[in-house]
Amino acid sequence: MLMTEDILQKKLWERMQTYVIENVYLPAAQTLDSGTFNTTVDIKLKQWTDKQLPRKALKVAWEALQDEFTRYVSESKGKDRDDIFDRLKEAVKEESIKRHKWNEEAEESLRVIQHNALEDRSIADKPQWDGAIRFMEETLQARLEDTERVIEDMVGPGWKQRWMYWRSRSPEQHVRNETKKELERMLKLNEDHAAYLANDEVTTVRKNLEARRVEVDPNLIKDTWHQLYRRHFLQRAISHCNLCRRGFHYYQRGYQDSELNCDDVVLFWRIQRTLGITANTLRQQLTNTEVRRLEKNVKEVLEDFAEEPARKSQLITGRRVKLAEDLKKVREIQEKLDAFIEALHKDK
């Protein structure tokens, strides 16, 4: 059973990207300056490494090992295989997985490796810089598309869909759409608006909508604003990625004589590098330790099952097994008949 680093890294990011974006990147990116951004990032990354990251990484690796083991067992049930042992294989698989416990020292070792990786901010060359920008851009673009879908669900179909497919907005979607237009006007006037609306701004939006005979709840205004601001922020962050493509030279000089700041690219590089190092470490643990320990579990389970006749008869079943048992009984009867006949001959 082989586990590639690419598969592990992909699985790790699928599990961790929501936390990284929502709890690390977005709160830090909405701060006012570079120093606050980096301080916020460092604090949140340390909290993440101390409490969640190594444990979740090991969970991902364990699930990946189970998936690979299950695939291996399933492939052994092909057309050329004997289906008599299918139930036995499934039982051995489940019991082996149940008995397997990951090496207890692995979590602390992984925590130290991840902590050291996340502390490093030194991007060595332009290819690494460009790779971090691609990683950041792809991640943010996926989040932007999710946000667009949420907004579309909130406000209902646009005029094209309504005209071509005879779809209509619900009353709530109509209110959401009017609220959206009002908030978009506000955001256009102040593109550097903070992430949250002030109470007086909520009141202004509500009164403007009431003047157009649209009754709206303040919570609906805040909820709609959250998604619109999120979309606005992600669009600007993606545009910033394009600007930072030429920023490696300024990064090397510590951004001297430049208004360009790409601390967010450095953050995504740190995350990307940590994912790669974590995937490499997990693959080594899997290959050198955990696969062998799982194989040992399989052997022990088979030995335990072999000592339980009731379990064997329960797991190894089918018409061929019954025929074999009947044939064995016939042979036993035949042997007894042969012995009886031989005894008769001796008596004569």
Side-chain angles (χ1 to χ4, degrees):
M1 292 183 288
L2 299 176
M3 197 72 56
T4 67
E5 288 181 28
D6 288 342
I7 292 174
L8 283 169
Q9 189 164 337
K10 183 179 178 182
K11 287 180 177 291
L12 284 166
W13 184 234
E14 285 173 357
R15 291 293 183 85
M16 298 172 183
Q17 61 176 305
T18 297
Y19 183 90
V20 171
I21 299 300
E22 303 297 333
N23 295 76
V24 180
Y25 171 65
L26 289 178
Q30 291 166 16
T31 56
L32 298 175
D33 56 73
S34 173
T36 309
F37 175 90
N38 288 320
T39 301
T40 303
V41 163
D42 288 344
I43 291 171
K44 290 184 176 295
L45 287 180
K46 187 177 187 308
Q47 291 172 345
W48 186 43
T49 312
D50 289 343
K51 297 178 181 178
Q52 296 184 34
L53 181 56
R55 191 174 301 116
K56 284 201 171 186
L58 290 180
K59 186 177 180 181
V60 168
W62 174 217
E63 289 174 359
L65 179 58
Q66 291 181 65
D67 291 343
E68 190 73 7
F69 184 35
T70 299
R71 184 187 63 78
Y72 178 79
V73 172
S74 298
E75 286 180 353
S76 69
K77 298 177 184 178
K79 294 180 179 179
D80 299 331
R81 302 290 180 176
D82 197 332
D83 60 0
I84 286 177
F85 301 106
D86 283 356
R87 292 181 66 182
L88 175 62
K89 289 177 183 176
E90 194 65 26
V92 170
K93 182 197 77 174
E94 291 177 2
E95 183 63 24
S96 299
I97 289 174
K98 189 187 298 183
R99 293 186 186 186
H100 190 86
K101 302 295 181 186
W102 208 273
N103 187 346
E104 294 180 356
E105 297 177 359
E107 183 176 329
E108 185 55 35
S109 172
L110 191 59
R111 179 181 286 107
V112 172
I113 291 170
Q114 291 169 334
H115 180 74
N116 291 337
L118 284 170
E119 279 197 331
D120 188 4
R121 296 182 179 82
S122 305
I123 304 179
D125 50 41
K126 187 70 162 57
Q128 288 187 32
W129 180 267
D130 292 340
I133 290 176
R134 282 195 301 273
F135 176 53
M136 177 178 173
E137 202 168 33
E138 290 169 2
T139 300
L140 298 183
Q141 186 62 44
R143 290 279 155 174
L144 177 59
E145 290 169 6
D146 290 342
T147 304
E148 294 280 13
R149 282 192 288 270
V150 171
I151 293 173
E152 185 178 336
D153 289 340
M154 286 170 58
V155 303
W159 70 268
K160 185 177 180 181
Q161 291 173 308
R162 298 199 305 275
W163 184 75
M164 293 182 65
Y165 303 109
W166 292 84
R167 296 177 61 188
S168 60
R169 289 191 174 109
S170 68
E172 182 180 344
Q173 286 175 333
H174 172 71
V175 173
R176 288 271 192 187
N177 188 57
E178 293 300 314
T179 305
K180 169 178 169 285
K181 289 190 287 187
E182 187 68 29
L183 291 171
E184 283 176 335
R185 279 193 286 269
M186 178 186 293
L187 199 53
K188 191 173 182 179
L189 292 172
N190 182 10
E191 293 189 351
D192 294 325
H193 197 290
Y196 299 97
L197 285 175
N199 290 333
D200 59 334
E201 291 176 315
V202 174
T203 302
T204 300
V205 171
R206 185 168 59 82
K207 287 182 176 180
N208 289 344
L209 289 169
E210 286 176 351
R212 301 206 302 269
R213 298 182 179 180
V214 178
E215 297 292 334
V216 60
D217 184 87
N219 289 328
L220 185 144
I221 295 174
K222 293 177 182 178
D223 186 38
T224 307
W225 168 262
H226 173 74
Q227 297 302 332
L228 292 178
Y229 181 82
R230 185 183 180 87
R231 180 180 66 181
H232 171 72
F233 175 85
L234 290 170
Q235 288 171 338
R236 295 184 72 182
I238 292 170
S239 297
H240 185 63
C241 286
N242 292 325
L243 293 175
C244 283
R245 292 187 194 284
R246 59 180 175 83
F248 183 65
H249 171 69
Y250 298 109
Y251 160 78
Q252 286 183 309
R253 296 175 56 192
Y255 302 116
Q256 294 176 9
D257 305 322
S258 172
E259 294 181 358
L260 183 65
N261 187 300
C262 299
D263 287 333
D264 47 0
V265 174
V266 178
L267 167 62
F268 276 87
W269 177 81
R270 293 165 71 184
I271 297 295
Q272 187 180 41
R273 182 169 179 271
T274 300
L275 289 171
I277 290 174
T278 299
N280 176 267
T281 304
L282 292 174
R283 183 191 58 78
Q284 290 181 22
Q285 290 181 359
L286 285 165
T287 304
N288 299 336
T289 308
E290 300 305 329
V291 170
R292 293 178 183 176
R293 293 176 69 231
L294 184 58
E295 289 174 351
K296 183 181 177 183
N297 286 343
V298 171
K299 291 176 183 177
E300 290 176 353
V301 170
L302 284 170
E303 290 172 358
D304 291 345
F305 283 3
E307 296 175 0
E308 301 178 29
R311 178 70 72 92
K312 281 192 294 183
S313 62
Q314 181 185 14
L315 295 175
I316 305 177
T317 60
R319 185 170 177 272
R320 289 169 56 199
V321 175
K322 189 174 185 308
L323 287 173
E325 290 174 344
D326 292 343
L327 186 59
K328 181 180 178 182
K329 290 178 183 177
V330 169
R331 280 201 299 267
E332 289 175 354
I333 293 171
Q334 185 65 48
E335 288 172 1
K336 289 179 181 179
L337 284 172
D338 291 342
F340 178 68
I341 292 170
E342 186 178 345
L344 285 176
H345 285 313
K346 285 181 180 179
D347 288 345
K348 290 180 180 181

